[in-house]
Amino acid sequence: MNCLEARKEFPRFWRRMLPAAARVSLVEHVRDCPQCDRAFRTFALSAPAVHSVVAADVMESPPPTPLDLARPRRPTISRVQPRETWQIAAVAAVLLVAAGITAWSSAQSPNQNFVESVVGEGSDVDPTYSYDSAENAADEFAPESSQFNSPSLDSSELPNSGLTDSSLEG
Amino acid sequence: MIRALATKRFNRSLTARPDDELIAAVLAGETADFAELAARYRDRVERLCQRFFADREMVRDLSQESFFRAFTGLSSYRAELPFFGWLRTIVTNVCYDELRRRQRRPEELVADFSASERTWVQLVSEATPEEIIDAAERRQEAHDLAHRLLDSLRPDDRMVIILKESEELSVSEIAETMGWSEAKVKIRTFRARQSMRRQAERILARTARGVER
């Protein structure tokens, strides 16, 4: 028996399905060949799961009937959390931290309004400035009727551009 | 009452009726006949699930899930194919989905061994082939470690190793079951074997180093 033949027979040897003569031959080869000896030991580590004959002793209960199948079943939940769950949890954690930082910074200076926080205390801009007060001040200098109307244009006041009806016709 | 009737019908129908006849009956509304189909293939379905998962509860769940999918999708079964071939595709997909859900990094799995697992690896390193096989049949840790070794593979690799080595399917059968090309099956098989061998060698080398110390 050569190395190739010996290694090919490992699964049948493990399952005790090899004829006695071939079994003896394989054992002798493995004993004399360090490479195949190593290969067998490597094989033996996975063989109990991959190459053993599995006994179906899992369910002692009777086989499922259609009534059993129609019943709501316990979902097959893996013991390990799915990868997507971790990603969602990571995003949620980042959002939580961001919200916490925002809340903390606002709690540090409760009286500071938005304008102060933007322009700073040393700025020339009056922090008490508000749009309403500026608008009211402007109203005092403008006649009420013309508040939002542009002044009426008289065509005679426009400079002569040299274009007349007759020049266009000519 | 209904269950008793179903059991009675099930017992009566145990005289071998062909799969096709049972399937036709289930599709015609005789849903209780599905119990006979399930009984006929339960062992094979469980054995296949056990190839992927050591946990008995998980095997039971996956087996149940497979039969449920088979029952609800029975109308898609084509009679010209063997029923178990169709059922095996369902079981394989159920197990594959579960493997992908619980995918873990290889380094998590072969990092720490229990004392009994170390003893087992020690025995594998030193005993004769016959002694190793005898011991493997008695030792639960041999199965546990082998499953951990399988757990270290990617789901694709693990599928292909189980279907090729344990179920002894051909490349074309695996390709059909998984919906892959034959080239992909061959490449996956090669890489899976390589990866598992590498992991096993790491374990043996670690044990040898441990002994030297």
Side-chain angles (χ1 to χ4, degrees), chain A residues 75-86:
Chain A
T76 51
I77 301 166
S78 57
R79 275 75 175 149
V80 181
Q81 289 290 323
R83 189 176 288 179
E84 290 79 6
T85 310
W86 286 109

Side-chain angles (χ1 to χ4, degrees), chain A residues 11 13-16 23 27 30 37-38 40-71 73-83, chain B residues 2-3 31-32 34-35 38-39 42-43 46-47 50-51 55-61 64-65 68 71 98 101-102 124-127 129-130 132-134 136-137 142-143 146-147 149-150 165-166 168 196-197 200-201 204:
Chain A
F13 176 63
W14 188 269
R15 291 173 182 167
R16 299 182 191 278
R23 194 174 180 89
V27 170
V30 169
D37 178 73
R38 191 74 182 164
F40 180 77
R41 294 182 196 287
T42 308
F43 166 88
L45 284 182
S46 62
V50 179
H51 294 288
S52 292
V53 179
V54 178
D57 56 350
V58 176
M59 279 204 297
E60 289 78 22
S61 55
T65 64
L67 283 174
D68 295 330
L69 294 172
R71 255 182 228 125
R73 295 157 305 118
R74 189 168 65 81
T76 51
I77 301 166
S78 57
R79 275 75 175 149
V80 181
Q81 289 290 323
R83 189 176 288 179
Chain B
I2 296 171
R3 193 182 175 86
T31 52
F34 190 79
R42 186 189 64 164
D43 286 355
E46 283 170 11
R47 269 190 226 115
Q50 274 184 284
R51 295 286 185 197
D55 180 32
R56 293 186 171 208
E57 200 177 326
M58 174 68 72
V59 168
R60 196 180 295 128
D61 285 349
Q64 188 83 348
E65 173 72 19
F68 179 74
F71 180 67
E98 183 59 27
R101 265 201 294 274
R102 49 188 282 166
V124 170
S125 306
E126 294 167 355
E130 302 271 8
I132 293 171
I133 295 174
D134 287 343
E137 286 171 355
H143 293 264
H147 271 284
L149 200 57
L150 278 178
E165 307 286 345
S166 308
E168 297 177 333
M196 201 158 68
R197 192 166 50 242
E201 280 170 359
L204 287 172

Side-chain angles (χ1 to χ4, degrees), chain A residues 20-36:
Chain A
R23 194 174 180 89
V24 170
S25 178
L26 188 143
V27 170
E28 282 175 0
H29 176 83
V30 169
R31 192 181 56 214
D32 298 338
C33 174
Q35 286 82 18
C36 287

Side-chain angles (χ1 to χ4, degrees), chain A residues 123-166:
Chain A
S123 170
D124 292 337
V125 179
D126 180 8
T128 59
Y129 176 89
S130 74
Y131 176 75
D132 290 341
S133 60
E135 192 178 36
N136 292 338
D139 289 349
E140 289 174 13
F141 299 102
E144 208 168 75
S145 60
S146 62
Q147 190 175 347
F148 294 110
N149 296 333
S150 58
S152 60
L153 286 175
D154 188 355
S155 60
S156 63
E157 291 175 6
L158 293 171
N160 190 359
S161 61
L163 287 173
T164 60
D165 291 346
S166 58

Side-chain angles (χ1 to χ4, degrees), chain A residues 66 69-70, chain B residues 26 31-32 34 66-75 86 90:
Chain A
L69 294 172
Chain B
V26 174
T31 52
F34 190 79
S66 302
F67 279 118
F68 179 74
R69 285 197 200 176
F71 180 67
T72 53
L74 198 60
S75 56
W86 180 77
I90 292 173

